[in-house]
Amino acid sequence: MEKKVVDARGLACPLPVVNAKKAVGEFKEDGVLAVLVDNEIAVQNLKKFAAQKGLAAAGEKKGEKEYEVTIQVAVNGDPASALAEEAGEEEIACRTDSRKKGLAVVLSANVMGGGEEKLGKALMKAFIFALTRQDVLPETILCYNSGAYLTCEGSDSLDDFKELEADGVNIMTCGTCLDFYGIKEKLAVGTVTNMYDIVETMEQAGAVIRP
Amino acid sequence: MREKRLQLIVTFRTTADAMAMEQACRERKAPGRLIPVPRAISAGCGLAWCAGPDCREVLKGVMQSIGIQEEDMCECMV
């Protein structure tokens, strides 16, 4: 089985996809292509590229700014994949990075504002949905206290958070809060964080949005 | 930003009606979700029900069953 590694760290879109495409074309037999990149958006772009080629791909975070996308290369793909590839060939487009550096959104509760809880929950859902529709996205979303419920199974906003994560937004939920509410095992998007990270993120943020 | 798709948008006269719609749809496993009223429909604020364009009749049935009426029902890119 052939194995290749493409180091695309430090390369801007669309170069990681371009280099991966070139490497896939050089396979003489079935094999595995590992592409190293340094951001989540590149991971998404490579997965999209693989899907268009009808190839299986998986992404793994290896370190702070290190991701590995593994593409299973099949030299003689099925005809349906070849057709899909042909149709999608011109459409390989990169997700662009629409995050604003230093912009943090802080969700300190599962409701937006004070007052009636039912309304507050509906407003929070609407806020998170509207966030996904913005041309400019935050770099980070911090969830703590009852805001931790928002990133856990059962939250109506999970799809929105997953979309934001796919766009490279760093979603972090307070571990102490997950533990306190007994929902540690239910975290469904993003990562667990601690008070030091929360403080640092807020300190370093140029702007903090707190609905 | 998420890719926009053509969706059916149901707006209501009151926020309470929009929230009642959400609860009713959830209980009946009817499709859709609550979203802020898209800017293309109104510059004002408010909540709307958003579902696929083919859900018009299902949603009308839900509204009828709980005795609420839509303010408007239209399709737009969301």
Side-chain angles (χ1 to χ4, degrees):
Chain A
M1 182 178 273
E2 207 172 334
K3 275 188 175 179
K4 280 184 198 293
V5 177
V6 168
D7 189 349
R9 287 173 294 181
L11 300 182
C13 174
L15 287 176
V17 174
V18 169
N19 292 357
K21 190 178 175 185
K22 191 172 166 236
V24 166
E26 288 168 356
F27 271 74
K28 305 249 184 310
E29 55 177 294
D30 290 359
V32 178
L33 173 67
V35 187
L36 308 177
V37 289
D38 57 15
N39 65 83
E40 176 65 32
I41 294 167
V43 173
Q44 297 300 326
N45 288 332
L46 285 163
K47 281 183 175 175
K48 189 177 169 189
F49 155 73
Q52 281 176 338
K53 284 213 162 246
L55 305 174
E60 192 187 343
K61 187 169 184 173
K62 296 279 194 182
E64 183 56 33
K65 281 194 169 180
E66 197 178 330
Y67 299 79
E68 183 179 290
V69 179
T70 312
I71 301 173
Q72 305 293 331
V73 181
V75 173
N76 296 312
D78 61 84
S81 300
L83 281 176
E85 182 193 337
E86 204 173 304
E89 192 85 45
E90 298 307 316
E91 288 178 21
I92 296 175
C94 289
R95 261 178 202 267
T96 51
D97 189 352
S98 27
R99 292 170 299 171
K100 185 175 180 183
K101 195 164 171 51
L103 179 60
V105 170
V106 172
L107 306 177
S108 59
N110 60 346
V111 295
M112 184 172 175
E116 181 63 45
E117 189 188 0
K118 198 176 166 188
L119 175 63
K121 282 185 174 174
L123 294 179
M124 183 56 89
K125 267 189 282 186
F127 173 85
I128 297 166
F129 172 82
L131 201 55
T132 68
R133 292 296 191 267
Q134 302 306 306
D135 292 333
V136 175
L137 298 177
E139 188 176 21
T140 309
I141 298 177
L142 290 173
C143 299
Y144 55 77
N145 211 319
S146 62
Y149 280 102
L150 296 167
T151 50
C152 288
E153 286 169 24
S155 162
D156 289 330
S157 298
L158 273 190
D159 286 346
D160 292 334
F161 278 119
K162 284 177 181 171
E163 189 69 29
L164 289 164
E165 188 178 48
D167 279 326
V169 178
N170 189 15
I171 298 165
M172 303 196 293
T173 303
C174 162
T176 307
C177 311
L178 290 167
D179 188 48
F180 179 84
Y181 289 116
I183 50 175
K184 219 172 188 172
E185 308 305 319
K186 295 190 171 174
L187 185 71
V189 64
T191 54
V192 178
T193 190
N194 58 48
M195 195 54 80
Y196 298 104
D197 288 341
I198 291 172
V199 171
E200 271 170 27
T201 303
M202 287 189 183
E203 273 182 349
Q204 289 163 11
V208 173
I209 297 172
R210 194 173 162 174
Chain B
M1 193 170 67
R2 198 186 296 185
E3 221 170 272
K4 292 191 173 186
R5 286 179 299 160
L6 187 69
Q7 296 281 46
L8 178 67
I9 303 296
V10 188
T11 56
F12 303 91
R13 286 189 180 80
T14 67
T15 302
D17 278 356
M19 286 160 67
M21 179 67 170
E22 182 187 37
Q23 193 178 338
C25 284
R26 212 176 258 177
E27 286 166 3
R28 291 160 179 76
K29 299 198 187 315
R33 64 174 293 177
L34 205 59
I35 65 164
V37 175
R39 284 180 178 143
I41 295 177
S42 166
C45 67
L47 298 172
W49 192 252
C50 169
D54 55 337
C55 302
R56 191 176 285 262
E57 293 311 312
V58 181
L59 299 184
K60 274 185 178 174
V62 173
M63 285 187 281
Q64 223 165 21
S65 70
I66 56 168
I68 59 169
Q69 208 183 354
E70 75 274 17
E71 184 181 52
D72 194 12
M73 221 179 196
C74 60
E75 289 178 9
C76 82
M77 298 297 284
V78 175

